[in-house]
Amino acid sequence: MNRRGRDLRLGNACDALINIVFMAADALFEGIPDLVVLLRREGVIVAHSGGHGVAELIPPPGSLGQCIEAVWSQPFAVLVRQLVRRAIALRGTAEARLRDGTCEYEVRASAQGPDRALVVIRTPPSEVREDPLESSDERPRPQLDRRGFLRRFKESMSLAALREQPAAVAVIYVDGIADIAQLIAAKLSEQIMSAAVLRLPAQFGATDAGGSSSWYLGQLSDTLLALVFETSDRDAIEACVARICASLSEPVDVGEAVFHLTAFAGVAILGQDASSPKLLLDHARSAANEARRSGSSRVFFFTDTLSLRALMRLDIARELREAIENRDIRLRYVGRHDLMTGRVVTWVGYLRWLHPLRGEIRPDEFLRVAEATGLATALSRAVLTSLPDDFAQLAARSDADVRISFGALRHHVLHEQFVEDVRQFLAAGRLPAERLELRIAEKALIARAPAHLHALQQLGVRLVVDEVGRGLGSLDWLARAPIWGLQLDRAWTTALRT
């Protein structure tokens, strides 16, 4: 069969798989108000789901494989197709407000590879159709139009500064949403986020002098929420934000599945921390990132110390690049013992950076910098090549069948050259394949194609799943994956005792 024929069969197989996934997930998505449509570049419908909020746009039965011109009006379909092509060209997301007759819709297209895009269509906030049974609900619904929210935020902050009125902004990072979008489905992450936000109580205690609600909520990105307060009372803001984070962290039921999110919050106060809306938002985001880095559930308020830490991270980023080139980041080893005999069977390596001036820098500090600056893959490769020298020293004081364990960084595992990097490393012959154990984090493992894992197994290395129980996982996937063992996350095993 020629290449064109193989590509055609592969494309048909992918379409069939996507349709199966959408059909299997109908139980999860049947209540979603947004219409989600997977389109090819040329406007052919591959799959669709949801849409009771825009029922007039739901493609009729039998529309799969048809062009959108056959389903929607010609002007609207042309604009949607242009938005899809723009998203694919940008390899990202394109948003616009499009009109179909007398109705206006928010349309967002997200590239899904080189020739497809996921299109989400919803009604703008000003035109949301209210359910009569819910017309009395005063809960602070987030603005789906992010540009509209930012415009309102800038206007309210500028007005507060002009009138010298107190104001503050809190940014909440919802951890777990990005993993759901990457590993399961983007539209499912949006539904979970909406469900978590819409169940927030209407009042949380942050009120003005008159006793009325003095804050509003908006969405900055897929993982970031923002709350704007008309007060600078730290206690009231902290109590309000803490309760919102607690509500967001409660389990979210979608169909028969239960999802757990974690919220981290940071606050910046107008006049004290910044005088411009942009800087205020940036400082609140910095405080939220600091809360996330520390893993703390408390609300972080911006301080000048955070600015100093940001400058320090810039220095670390520069020095990290030099440390990778000079092979200054090594592994410290902990023995894994046989419980029956007590002998060391594996030397497990963990990253260690001894800085000549700063002393030992914790992995959680420089790994986040490595991931943010794109150095994680280079760091993982550099440490991999240092294993033979370490193994020669460790094997000299161990049994002949001892192994060395290397935890590849997540960005390296997800890199397209990861399997080839391991193959070339073993081909050098400095470390036997049967003496190498590869530890792969659970979240990274389920994001890899099974063929890649089997290719690693065929090289002769042992695969161990690391950080089991820390985040998203799948027992079914673990049962089918060619793995040798599991390494449970300490936080998970500690929680079992309580």
Side-chain angles (χ1 to χ4, degrees):
M1 181 180 296
N2 57 29
R3 181 176 180 181
R4 181 177 180 183
R6 288 197 303 269
D7 292 344
L8 182 60
R9 288 189 59 184
L10 180 61
N12 293 337
C14 290
D15 289 347
L17 178 60
I18 290 172
N19 287 331
I20 291 173
V21 171
F22 268 72
M23 292 170 60
D26 278 347
L28 296 177
F29 304 138
E30 60 183 1
I32 189 171
D34 308 334
L35 175 61
V36 182
V37 186
L38 185 64
L39 295 177
R40 290 185 180 275
R41 179 194 295 270
E42 61 272 17
V44 175
I45 300 175
V46 178
H48 64 84
S49 186
H52 73 77
V54 287
E56 65 277 3
L57 295 180
I58 298 178
S63 60
L64 298 184
Q66 294 184 2
C67 289
I68 53 178
E69 282 84 351
V71 178
W72 300 326
S73 66
Q74 180 74 15
F76 184 78
V78 170
L79 293 175
V80 170
R81 182 185 294 186
Q82 291 176 352
L83 202 65
V84 166
R85 291 179 176 176
R86 181 181 178 187
I88 293 175
L90 296 174
R91 297 182 181 180
T93 301
E95 301 181 64
R97 283 201 177 196
L98 306 181
R99 183 174 296 276
D100 185 18
T102 59
C103 298
E104 189 176 46
Y105 304 95
E106 284 185 348
V107 183
R108 184 169 79 249
S110 303
Q112 304 291 316
D115 62 344
R116 302 179 188 191
L118 198 66
V119 178
V120 179
I121 304 176
R122 58 183 60 157
T123 55
S126 59
E127 296 182 14
V128 173
R129 302 170 182 127
E130 293 186 353
D131 188 336
L133 298 178
E134 297 183 356
S135 58
S136 62
D137 188 1
E138 299 178 356
R139 67 188 65 184
R141 300 178 183 271
Q143 291 199 11
L144 299 178
D145 180 10
R146 296 171 189 174
R147 294 180 181 176
F149 168 75
L150 289 175
R151 183 167 55 251
R152 178 184 178 186
F153 166 71
K154 292 178 181 178
E155 291 174 353
S156 61
M157 290 298 101
S158 299
L159 187 60
L162 181 64
R163 295 180 177 178
E164 298 183 352
Q165 295 176 336
V169 60
V171 170
I172 299 177
Y173 182 92
V174 184
D175 197 19
I177 287 293
D179 291 326
I180 294 171
Q182 179 182 9
L183 303 179
I184 303 178
K187 66 174 183 177
L188 180 57
S189 69
E190 292 182 358
Q191 184 186 9
I192 294 171
M193 187 69 144
S194 298
V197 170
L198 292 178
R199 71 183 179 188
L200 294 176
Q203 301 293 335
F204 269 118
T207 57
D208 55 21
S212 60
S213 177
S214 59
W215 60 280
Y216 60 89
L217 178 69
Q219 190 169 358
L220 296 176
S221 67
D222 295 337
T223 59
L224 291 179
L225 298 174
L227 293 91
V228 181
F229 296 91
E230 298 174 3
T231 178
S232 59
D233 186 336
R234 288 176 175 257
D235 293 337
I237 294 174
E238 183 175 6
C240 178
V241 175
R243 294 182 62 187
I244 289 177
C245 289
S247 178
L248 292 172
S249 299
E250 293 176 359
V252 180
D253 298 330
V254 180
E256 298 179 356
V258 180
F259 296 89
H260 298 267
L261 308 174
T262 307
F264 301 100
V267 179
I269 298 177
L270 183 66
Q272 300 179 20
D273 303 322
S275 57
S276 67
K278 182 182 184 304
L279 195 57
L280 189 69
L281 196 60
D282 289 342
H283 286 177
R285 187 184 290 113
S286 297
N289 288 335
E290 189 66 24
R292 185 188 175 207
R293 270 188 290 269
S294 67
S296 175
S297 60
R298 70 181 181 89
V299 180
F300 276 57
F301 283 82
F302 179 82
T303 63
D304 292 337
T305 304
L306 294 183
S307 298
L308 296 177
R309 291 179 183 175
L311 294 175
M312 184 179 69
R313 281 191 289 271
L314 290 177
D315 290 338
I316 291 179
R318 175 180 53 81
E319 295 171 348
L320 179 61
R321 191 180 302 274
E322 297 176 356
I324 294 174
E325 295 175 355
N326 299 331
R327 306 296 175 90
D328 292 335
I329 300 180
R330 309 287 296 191
L331 294 174
R332 62 176 180 87
Y333 292 93
V334 177
R336 183 189 297 151
H337 299 262
D338 187 302
L339 295 180
M340 299 296 293
T341 64
R343 69 186 183 91
V344 176
V345 293
T346 306
W347 289 104
V348 184
Y350 297 94
L351 290 174
R352 183 185 189 189
W353 184 9
L354 283 175
H355 194 278
L357 298 177
R358 304 177 189 270
E360 184 169 354
I361 301 178
R362 295 181 304 171
D364 60 343
E365 294 182 13
F366 67 82
L367 284 182
R368 291 187 183 276
V369 175
E371 293 172 355
T373 56
L375 294 173
T377 298
L379 172 59
S380 186
R381 284 172 174 161
V383 176
L384 177 63
T385 58
S386 69
L387 293 181
D389 295 334
D390 294 347
F391 181 73
Q393 299 177 15
L394 295 170
R397 51 192 176 96
S398 307
D399 293 341
D401 60 347
V402 74
R403 288 180 170 82
I404 190 169
S405 177
F406 167 64
L409 298 184
R410 183 175 182 228
H411 284 63
H412 190 197
V413 174
L414 299 179
H415 195 277
E416 58 184 5
Q417 293 294 324
F418 176 63
V419 177
E420 185 60 27
D421 288 343
V422 177
R423 181 180 289 110
Q424 292 180 5
F425 168 74
L426 295 175
R430 299 185 59 200
L431 179 64
E434 63 272 13
R435 295 288 176 259
L436 176 60
E437 175 186 289
L438 279 178
R439 301 194 320 276
I440 300 177
E442 185 179 26
K443 290 194 296 185
L445 180 82
I446 62 179
R448 291 293 304 193
H452 297 155
L453 302 178
H454 287 285
L456 291 171
Q457 183 192 40
Q458 292 172 2
L459 293 176
V461 302
R462 277 186 176 181
L463 293 179
V464 172
V465 185
D466 201 359
E467 301 177 359
V468 174
R470 176 175 293 186
L472 291 176
S474 171
L475 292 177
D476 179 64
W477 179 269
L478 293 178
R480 292 184 288 109
I483 59 177
W484 179 82
L486 305 176
Q487 187 160 299
L488 304 180
D489 185 70
R490 177 181 297 179
W492 186 76
T493 56
T494 302
L496 290 179
R497 295 184 298 178
T498 58

PDB file of all heavy atoms in Angstrom, residues 336 405 437-441 445 462-466 482-487:
ATOM      1  N   ARG A 336      17.962   0.856  48.046  1.00  0.00           N
ATOM      2  CA  ARG A 336      16.698   0.129  48.180  1.00  0.00           C
ATOM      3  C   ARG A 336      17.068  -1.306  48.581  1.00  0.00           C
ATOM      4  O   ARG A 336      17.785  -2.000  47.852  1.00  0.00           O
ATOM      5  CB  ARG A 336      15.898   0.142  46.879  1.00  0.00           C
ATOM      6  CG  ARG A 336      14.531  -0.551  47.004  1.00  0.00           C
ATOM      7  CD  ARG A 336      13.888  -0.705  45.640  1.00  0.00           C
ATOM      8  NE  ARG A 336      13.603   0.581  45.024  1.00  0.00           N
ATOM      9  CZ  ARG A 336      13.573   0.772  43.713  1.00  0.00           C
ATOM     10  NH1 ARG A 336      13.841  -0.236  42.888  1.00  0.00           N
ATOM     11  NH2 ARG A 336      13.315   1.964  43.228  1.00  0.00           N
ATOM     12  N   SER A 405      18.967   3.375  39.665  1.00  0.00           N
ATOM     13  CA  SER A 405      17.636   3.873  39.316  1.00  0.00           C
ATOM     14  C   SER A 405      17.710   5.361  38.994  1.00  0.00           C
ATOM     15  O   SER A 405      18.221   6.158  39.781  1.00  0.00           O
ATOM     16  CB  SER A 405      16.654   3.639  40.479  1.00  0.00           C
ATOM     17  OG  SER A 405      15.378   4.168  40.181  1.00  0.00           O
ATOM     18  N   GLU A 437      17.397   1.051  35.800  1.00  0.00           N
ATOM     19  CA  GLU A 437      15.979   1.157  36.135  1.00  0.00           C
ATOM     20  C   GLU A 437      15.528   2.582  35.839  1.00  0.00           C
ATOM     21  O   GLU A 437      16.128   3.541  36.313  1.00  0.00           O
ATOM     22  CB  GLU A 437      15.756   0.827  37.607  1.00  0.00           C
ATOM     23  CG  GLU A 437      14.315   1.042  38.072  1.00  0.00           C
ATOM     24  CD  GLU A 437      14.154   0.836  39.572  1.00  0.00           C
ATOM     25  OE1 GLU A 437      14.234  -0.326  40.008  1.00  0.00           O
ATOM     26  OE2 GLU A 437      13.973   1.833  40.298  1.00  0.00           O
ATOM     27  N   LEU A 438      14.476   2.733  35.039  1.00  0.00           N
ATOM     28  CA  LEU A 438      13.932   4.046  34.696  1.00  0.00           C
ATOM     29  C   LEU A 438      12.682   4.297  35.521  1.00  0.00           C
ATOM     30  O   LEU A 438      11.721   3.519  35.461  1.00  0.00           O
ATOM     31  CB  LEU A 438      13.588   4.126  33.210  1.00  0.00           C
ATOM     32  CG  LEU A 438      14.723   4.407  32.229  1.00  0.00           C
ATOM     33  CD1 LEU A 438      14.188   4.397  30.808  1.00  0.00           C
ATOM     34  CD2 LEU A 438      15.393   5.736  32.524  1.00  0.00           C
ATOM     35  N   ARG A 439      12.702   5.365  36.300  1.00  0.00           N
ATOM     36  CA  ARG A 439      11.516   5.767  37.050  1.00  0.00           C
ATOM     37  C   ARG A 439      10.793   6.866  36.272  1.00  0.00           C
ATOM     38  O   ARG A 439      11.397   7.886  35.916  1.00  0.00           O
ATOM     39  CB  ARG A 439      11.878   6.285  38.451  1.00  0.00           C
ATOM     40  CG  ARG A 439      12.608   5.289  39.301  1.00  0.00           C
ATOM     41  CD  ARG A 439      12.639   5.695  40.772  1.00  0.00           C
ATOM     42  NE  ARG A 439      12.863   7.106  41.009  1.00  0.00           N
ATOM     43  CZ  ARG A 439      14.061   7.677  41.034  1.00  0.00           C
ATOM     44  NH1 ARG A 439      15.146   6.954  40.820  1.00  0.00           N
ATOM     45  NH2 ARG A 439      14.184   8.977  41.294  1.00  0.00           N
ATOM     46  N   ILE A 440       9.504   6.641  36.025  1.00  0.00           N
ATOM     47  CA  ILE A 440       8.690   7.599  35.274  1.00  0.00           C
ATOM     48  C   ILE A 440       7.482   7.960  36.128  1.00  0.00           C
ATOM     49  O   ILE A 440       6.776   7.077  36.610  1.00  0.00           O
ATOM     50  CB  ILE A 440       8.235   7.016  33.917  1.00  0.00           C
ATOM     51  CG1 ILE A 440       9.454   6.649  33.070  1.00  0.00           C
ATOM     52  CG2 ILE A 440       7.347   7.998  33.176  1.00  0.00           C
ATOM     53  CD1 ILE A 440       9.097   6.005  31.753  1.00  0.00           C
ATOM     54  N   ALA A 441       7.260   9.267  36.330  1.00  0.00           N
ATOM     55  CA  ALA A 441       6.117   9.721  37.126  1.00  0.00           C
ATOM     56  C   ALA A 441       4.818   9.229  36.517  1.00  0.00           C
ATOM     57  O   ALA A 441       4.676   9.131  35.294  1.00  0.00           O
ATOM     58  CB  ALA A 441       6.116  11.242  37.242  1.00  0.00           C
ATOM     59  N   LEU A 445       3.587   8.926  32.668  1.00  0.00           N
ATOM     60  CA  LEU A 445       3.453   7.582  32.081  1.00  0.00           C
ATOM     61  C   LEU A 445       2.171   7.446  31.283  1.00  0.00           C
ATOM     62  O   LEU A 445       2.181   6.947  30.151  1.00  0.00           O
ATOM     63  CB  LEU A 445       3.486   6.539  33.202  1.00  0.00           C
ATOM     64  CG  LEU A 445       3.354   5.089  32.727  1.00  0.00           C
ATOM     65  CD1 LEU A 445       4.692   4.563  32.242  1.00  0.00           C
ATOM     66  CD2 LEU A 445       2.806   4.195  33.830  1.00  0.00           C
ATOM     67  N   ARG A 462      14.350  -1.766  33.195  1.00  0.00           N
ATOM     68  CA  ARG A 462      13.179  -1.909  34.047  1.00  0.00           C
ATOM     69  C   ARG A 462      12.435  -0.584  34.113  1.00  0.00           C
ATOM     70  O   ARG A 462      13.040   0.478  34.263  1.00  0.00           O
ATOM     71  CB  ARG A 462      13.590  -2.314  35.456  1.00  0.00           C
ATOM     72  CG  ARG A 462      13.829  -3.805  35.642  1.00  0.00           C
ATOM     73  CD  ARG A 462      14.075  -4.088  37.116  1.00  0.00           C
ATOM     74  NE  ARG A 462      14.225  -5.500  37.372  1.00  0.00           N
ATOM     75  CZ  ARG A 462      14.433  -6.017  38.573  1.00  0.00           C
ATOM     76  NH1 ARG A 462      14.536  -5.209  39.625  1.00  0.00           N
ATOM     77  NH2 ARG A 462      14.552  -7.326  38.741  1.00  0.00           N
ATOM     78  N   LEU A 463      11.124  -0.639  34.026  1.00  0.00           N
ATOM     79  CA  LEU A 463      10.289   0.552  34.147  1.00  0.00           C
ATOM     80  C   LEU A 463       9.578   0.527  35.493  1.00  0.00           C
ATOM     81  O   LEU A 463       8.898  -0.446  35.819  1.00  0.00           O
ATOM     82  CB  LEU A 463       9.255   0.617  33.018  1.00  0.00           C
ATOM     83  CG  LEU A 463       9.793   0.822  31.604  1.00  0.00           C
ATOM     84  CD1 LEU A 463       8.638   0.847  30.607  1.00  0.00           C
ATOM     85  CD2 LEU A 463      10.593   2.103  31.521  1.00  0.00           C
ATOM     86  N   VAL A 464       9.756   1.585  36.263  1.00  0.00           N
ATOM     87  CA  VAL A 464       9.106   1.723  37.566  1.00  0.00           C
ATOM     88  C   VAL A 464       8.277   2.995  37.552  1.00  0.00           C
ATOM     89  O   VAL A 464       8.765   4.064  37.148  1.00  0.00           O
ATOM     90  CB  VAL A 464      10.147   1.771  38.704  1.00  0.00           C
ATOM     91  CG1 VAL A 464       9.474   2.120  40.030  1.00  0.00           C
ATOM     92  CG2 VAL A 464      10.867   0.435  38.824  1.00  0.00           C
ATOM     93  N   VAL A 465       7.031   2.889  37.965  1.00  0.00           N
ATOM     94  CA  VAL A 465       6.144   4.050  38.012  1.00  0.00           C
ATOM     95  C   VAL A 465       6.391   4.792  39.322  1.00  0.00           C
ATOM     96  O   VAL A 465       6.256   4.220  40.411  1.00  0.00           O
ATOM     97  CB  VAL A 465       4.666   3.634  37.905  1.00  0.00           C
ATOM     98  CG1 VAL A 465       3.772   4.875  37.843  1.00  0.00           C
ATOM     99  CG2 VAL A 465       4.455   2.775  36.670  1.00  0.00           C
ATOM    100  N   ASP A 466       6.770   6.062  39.212  1.00  0.00           N
ATOM    101  CA  ASP A 466       7.097   6.884  40.369  1.00  0.00           C
ATOM    102  C   ASP A 466       5.928   7.807  40.708  1.00  0.00           C
ATOM    103  O   ASP A 466       5.053   8.060  39.875  1.00  0.00           O
ATOM    104  CB  ASP A 466       8.359   7.704  40.066  1.00  0.00           C
ATOM    105  CG  ASP A 466       9.054   8.172  41.326  1.00  0.00           C
ATOM    106  OD1 ASP A 466       8.558   7.875  42.427  1.00  0.00           O
ATOM    107  OD2 ASP A 466      10.099   8.844  41.221  1.00  0.00           O
ATOM    108  N   PRO A 482       3.823  -2.126  30.526  1.00  0.00           N
ATOM    109  CA  PRO A 482       4.935  -3.062  30.762  1.00  0.00           C
ATOM    110  C   PRO A 482       5.863  -2.560  31.868  1.00  0.00           C
ATOM    111  O   PRO A 482       7.014  -2.213  31.622  1.00  0.00           O
ATOM    112  CB  PRO A 482       5.634  -3.107  29.402  1.00  0.00           C
ATOM    113  CG  PRO A 482       5.414  -1.747  28.831  1.00  0.00           C
ATOM    114  CD  PRO A 482       4.045  -1.330  29.294  1.00  0.00           C
ATOM    115  N   ILE A 483       5.355  -2.514  33.079  1.00  0.00           N
ATOM    116  CA  ILE A 483       6.131  -1.961  34.191  1.00  0.00           C
ATOM    117  C   ILE A 483       6.584  -3.072  35.126  1.00  0.00           C
ATOM    118  O   ILE A 483       5.972  -4.155  35.186  1.00  0.00           O
ATOM    119  CB  ILE A 483       5.313  -0.911  34.975  1.00  0.00           C
ATOM    120  CG1 ILE A 483       4.031  -1.538  35.530  1.00  0.00           C
ATOM    121  CG2 ILE A 483       5.003   0.282  34.099  1.00  0.00           C
ATOM    122  CD1 ILE A 483       3.200  -0.607  36.365  1.00  0.00           C
ATOM    123  N   TRP A 484       7.664  -2.812  35.849  1.00  0.00           N
ATOM    124  CA  TRP A 484       8.207  -3.787  36.787  1.00  0.00           C
ATOM    125  C   TRP A 484       7.735  -3.527  38.209  1.00  0.00           C
ATOM    126  O   TRP A 484       7.539  -4.450  38.990  1.00  0.00           O
ATOM    127  CB  TRP A 484       9.735  -3.754  36.727  1.00  0.00           C
ATOM    128  CG  TRP A 484      10.378  -4.707  37.682  1.00  0.00           C
ATOM    129  CD1 TRP A 484      10.588  -6.048  37.510  1.00  0.00           C
ATOM    130  CD2 TRP A 484      10.877  -4.394  38.989  1.00  0.00           C
ATOM    131  NE1 TRP A 484      11.185  -6.592  38.618  1.00  0.00           N
ATOM    132  CE2 TRP A 484      11.384  -5.599  39.546  1.00  0.00           C
ATOM    133  CE3 TRP A 484      10.958  -3.217  39.741  1.00  0.00           C
ATOM    134  CZ2 TRP A 484      11.951  -5.648  40.819  1.00  0.00           C
ATOM    135  CZ3 TRP A 484      11.514  -3.275  41.003  1.00  0.00           C
ATOM    136  CH2 TRP A 484      12.010  -4.477  41.534  1.00  0.00           C
ATOM    137  N   GLY A 485       7.564  -2.254  38.577  1.00  0.00           N
ATOM    138  CA  GLY A 485       7.170  -1.955  39.949  1.00  0.00           C
ATOM    139  C   GLY A 485       6.576  -0.579  40.100  1.00  0.00           C
ATOM    140  O   GLY A 485       6.534   0.213  39.157  1.00  0.00           O
ATOM    141  N   LEU A 486       6.086  -0.302  41.295  1.00  0.00           N
ATOM    142  CA  LEU A 486       5.478   0.985  41.634  1.00  0.00           C
ATOM    143  C   LEU A 486       6.238   1.584  42.810  1.00  0.00           C
ATOM    144  O   LEU A 486       6.639   0.871  43.735  1.00  0.00           O
ATOM    145  CB  LEU A 486       4.008   0.819  42.028  1.00  0.00           C
ATOM    146  CG  LEU A 486       3.074   0.118  41.039  1.00  0.00           C
ATOM    147  CD1 LEU A 486       1.688  -0.024  41.651  1.00  0.00           C
ATOM    148  CD2 LEU A 486       2.998   0.884  39.739  1.00  0.00           C
ATOM    149  N   GLN A 487       6.415   2.897  42.774  1.00  0.00           N
ATOM    150  CA  GLN A 487       7.013   3.624  43.896  1.00  0.00           C
ATOM    151  C   GLN A 487       5.978   4.615  44.382  1.00  0.00           C
ATOM    152  O   GLN A 487       5.710   5.617  43.727  1.00  0.00           O
ATOM    153  CB  GLN A 487       8.308   4.321  43.467  1.00  0.00           C
ATOM    154  CG  GLN A 487       9.059   4.963  44.627  1.00  0.00           C
ATOM    155  CD  GLN A 487      10.525   5.222  44.303  1.00  0.00           C
ATOM    156  OE1 GLN A 487      11.269   4.297  44.020  1.00  0.00           O
ATOM    157  NE2 GLN A 487      10.925   6.480  44.316  1.00  0.00           N
TER     158      GLN A 487
END
